[in-house]
Amino acid sequence: MSSIQTSKHHRQLLYKKMKHCLITAELLNRRLVSYQANKELPFYRWFKYREGFSSDLVGFFLEKFHSKTGKLLDPFAGVGTSLFTAQELGWESVGIEVMPVGVYAMTARQAANNVCTYELRKTADSILHKLPQTTADETIKHIPITKDAFPPETEEQLNRYVSLCSRIKDESLKTVLHFAAFSILEDISFTRKDGQFLRWDYRSVRNLSGKPFDKGKIFTFEEALASKIEMIIKDLTTQAAPTLFLNNVSTLDKPPIRLFEGSCLDILPKMEGNQFDFVMTSPPYCNRYDYTRTYALELVYLGIDFPGIQKLRQTLLSCTVENKDKREHIQSLYLSLGKKKDYQKIQEVYDTLPAMCEVNTVLECLNRQNLLNNKAVSRMVRNYFFEMCFVIAEMSRLMKKGGYCVMVNDNVRYGGEEIPVDLILSSFAEQLGFNIRQIYVLPQGKGNSSQQMGTYGREEIRKCVYLWQKQ
């Protein structure tokens, strides 16, 4: 263990070098940099997407650092908070999202602007009236981790409803009504999202180990759907509601949102450089969360089968222990685009950062001593930073001189070793064309996991918002 105990040297040097950039931000809090500030607002309360930041945070940084409108990029768009907020403020926005759940939610949000609330209510009432007499011609194709997620009667009603929705001719109306059922899947199931897993209620037919979990009321399909549709209609009727409709300007008069579905690792290198004024984003954290499991119900509802989910999991940024190495794929992509020198430069930035090398060495050492709770953690961390180095390089290439990048991320700890995500990513950024303006540290950090607290005690790690400016 002596080698581990003395291996913080380069991380400490990096901290001393960048300490002047760290500033406690009293105006920022967990609520603002998470979904919490959005969850009671229109659209965000339709579908509870727990990953991402608030629209208030986007508005704050755009107004403070770039009051003149321009073009914004979010390479990890989620459900489009930065894109839609920027659009309402007069910005043209471009987003990239790999999760079909986020892409679908953004599509439904845009469709909601085009529906007549009278027709929405009328069609919904008609569908609910026909539900008992309908034979489902479409059924959800479950995967192992979602099997038996719903009471049998609920699943039958859900299948009937989807079949009726598929017959609607108006595409916007069809999308919104289909999305309404998508938004209640957790409410009508035996499951609850819990970190990176689905937690199962004791009333399910599954054989469950451990202490029985009671999620509370499990809603019937009809009561959950009727309540959701009423909520959507109310929000669409009250068009002055903040963050869904920030003003009364017609959607036709607003700048466009352009959305790419897929991995930003594949899409960013193909985009034309020097075109964006602002990047506002929050990548997946290096925390082992597997969004294909968290949103498994939503994925199967959208028709993603088991092989499709396995493929999606490998396409995601490496933030789970199941992710395989993408180095060969990234290298082949850059070579095919005639960007061999770019690839070599970015790889060199990653390979030569002493703090990064130290983190990789320490985790490998912990691995050999069986001090990590999963042997794939060291690979995941190594690949996470390698991939993020390429994302940062591409964001720099795509940004105009003087443009800003705002990124929300958390530090992490494995085997008792803190990994300074904020300092490592900012050091990459500094070598790839950015000036590190500030690293805003939230007044309240994030505690380590319950498993690590038992061994190492409770220690906070930094939750940060980075502000970089293109040189």
Side-chain angles (χ1 to χ4, degrees):
M1 288 291 290
S2 60
S3 62
I4 296 177
Q5 291 169 352
T6 59
S7 64
K8 303 184 192 306
H9 175 68
H10 290 296
R11 281 171 286 174
Q12 291 171 343
L13 287 179
L14 184 58
Y15 177 79
K16 290 178 181 178
K17 175 187 173 185
M18 305 191 78
K19 184 178 179 180
H20 69 282
C21 297
L22 296 167
I23 178 172
T24 301
E26 299 295 342
L27 292 176
L28 303 181
N29 53 44
R30 284 192 178 188
R31 187 170 181 273
L32 198 62
V33 301
S34 71
Y35 78 99
Q36 294 288 342
N38 281 346
K39 67 179 184 178
E40 296 303 323
L41 297 174
F43 175 75
Y44 298 103
R45 67 188 191 129
W46 302 355
F47 173 57
K48 295 177 181 178
Y49 184 78
R50 294 168 173 82
E51 285 66 43
F53 40 66
S54 70
S55 57
D56 287 343
L57 187 73
V58 181
F60 170 79
F61 277 104
L62 287 180
E63 292 292 343
K64 184 175 179 62
F65 293 100
H66 208 295
S67 56
K68 182 180 177 181
T69 59
K71 191 173 183 180
L72 175 141
L73 170 70
D74 187 347
F76 301 97
V79 293
T81 299
S82 58
L83 308 182
F84 288 97
T85 305
Q87 183 190 50
E88 296 292 349
L89 294 171
W91 285 66
E92 182 183 351
S93 53
V94 177
I96 302 171
E97 178 53 39
V98 67
M99 281 288 287
V101 169
V103 174
Y104 178 65
M106 286 184 269
T107 301
R109 181 169 181 171
Q110 291 177 311
N113 288 319
N114 301 319
V115 299
C116 167
T117 53
Y118 171 78
E119 287 297 328
L120 180 59
R121 187 185 297 278
K122 178 182 174 183
T123 308
D125 289 345
S126 175
I127 289 176
L128 288 172
H129 178 73
K130 295 175 183 177
L131 208 56
Q133 296 82 34
T134 300
T135 300
D137 50 29
E138 297 186 30
T139 59
I140 292 178
K141 304 296 190 298
H142 282 285
I143 61 175
I145 61 173
T146 66
K147 190 176 183 297
D148 300 317
F150 306 104
E153 182 181 353
T154 296
E155 181 150 350
E156 178 62 28
Q157 289 179 314
L158 179 60
N159 287 329
R160 292 174 182 176
Y161 177 84
V162 171
S163 298
L164 288 168
C165 280
S166 67
R167 302 170 193 173
I168 301 172
K169 294 182 179 180
D170 185 303
E171 287 298 324
S172 293
L173 192 58
K174 179 195 296 185
T175 298
V176 173
L177 286 170
H178 192 264
F179 178 75
F182 169 88
S183 301
I184 63 170
L185 295 176
E186 185 175 356
D187 297 334
I188 62 176
S189 78
F190 291 116
T191 72
R192 175 178 292 169
K193 293 177 176 64
D194 184 9
Q196 60 177 316
F197 299 105
L198 290 179
R199 196 173 183 188
W200 287 75
D201 185 88
Y202 75 96
R203 287 163 285 186
S204 73
V205 298
R206 290 200 163 202
N207 292 322
L208 304 172
S209 60
K211 184 179 179 181
F213 166 63
D214 184 350
K215 69 172 284 187
K217 181 175 181 178
I218 298 173
F219 292 85
T220 67
F221 177 77
E222 290 195 34
E223 66 179 333
L225 184 74
S227 175
K228 185 66 64 175
I229 290 173
E230 193 61 37
M231 177 189 294
I232 292 172
I233 290 173
K234 179 181 178 182
D235 288 343
L236 291 177
T237 303
T238 313
Q239 293 197 1
T243 74
L244 178 61
F245 303 99
L246 293 182
N247 50 54
N248 293 319
V249 178
S250 166
T251 303
L252 296 175
D253 297 328
K254 295 174 184 175
I257 289 176
R258 190 178 181 193
L259 180 62
F260 294 89
E261 182 172 6
S263 168
C264 64
L265 288 168
D266 294 328
I267 295 170
L268 289 175
K270 301 173 185 176
M271 297 175 71
E272 181 182 349
N274 194 38
Q275 62 168 305
F276 293 101
D277 302 282
F278 214 100
V279 171
M280 183 82 199
T281 195
S282 179
Y285 298 169
C286 189
N287 59 7
R288 294 187 56 183
Y289 276 27
D290 184 349
Y291 301 112
T292 65
R293 285 190 167 86
T294 306
Y295 291 96
L297 282 183
E298 290 79 7
L299 289 170
V300 297
Y301 178 82
L302 294 177
I304 314 296
D305 60 13
F306 188 62
I309 288 178
Q310 288 181 310
K311 182 179 179 181
L312 176 63
R313 185 175 296 140
Q314 294 304 324
T315 307
L316 294 171
L317 191 79
S318 292
C319 58
T320 82
V321 292
E322 293 185 36
N323 285 118
K324 298 176 182 177
D325 197 307
K326 297 184 180 69
R327 289 186 181 226
E328 287 188 10
H329 172 76
I330 296 172
Q331 184 179 35
S332 296
L333 173 64
Y334 275 73
L335 291 178
S336 71
L337 296 172
K339 295 185 173 184
K340 181 179 179 179
K341 289 184 179 180
D342 291 343
Y343 176 86
Q344 292 173 334
K345 176 186 175 182
I346 300 166
Q347 183 179 37
E348 183 180 5
V349 168
Y350 173 84
D351 288 340
T352 58
L353 181 65
M356 185 75 257
C357 297
E358 181 178 88
V359 165
N360 291 336
T361 300
V362 167
L363 291 181
E364 287 295 342
C365 186
L366 289 170
N367 224 356
R368 288 193 296 270
Q369 299 183 54
N370 295 315
L371 293 174
L372 297 177
N373 58 16
N374 188 299
K375 285 188 173 296
V377 164
S378 58
R379 181 189 68 205
M380 177 197 75
V381 171
R382 181 177 67 247
N383 291 336
Y384 177 86
F385 284 101
F386 183 79
E387 293 163 26
M388 280 302 299
C389 193
F390 279 82
V391 173
I392 293 167
E394 291 300 336
M395 291 192 306
S396 175
R397 183 184 66 83
L398 292 168
M399 292 196 71
K400 297 177 183 177
K401 183 179 179 181
Y404 286 93
C405 174
V406 174
M407 182 183 292
V408 179
N409 209 333
D410 282 2
N411 288 0
V412 293
R413 179 182 280 108
Y414 290 106
E417 290 287 327
E418 181 175 359
I419 300 171
V421 180
D422 51 357
L423 304 183
I424 291 175
L425 294 186
S426 293
S427 185
F428 288 160
E430 194 170 45
Q431 296 179 71
L432 291 166
F434 285 107
N435 175 36
I436 312 307
R437 290 286 302 270
Q438 297 286 353
I439 300 176
Y440 295 101
V441 182
L442 271 63
Q444 182 181 3
K446 178 182 179 182
N448 48 334
S449 68
S450 56
Q451 295 95 327
Q452 293 201 53
M453 278 192 283
T455 304
Y456 306 105
R458 180 173 179 82
E459 294 183 55
E460 280 195 349
I461 51 178
R462 292 189 297 275
K463 295 176 64 69
C464 301
V465 182
Y466 323 149
L467 177 67
W468 306 332
Q469 187 175 23
K470 178 68 176 294
Q471 293 178 5

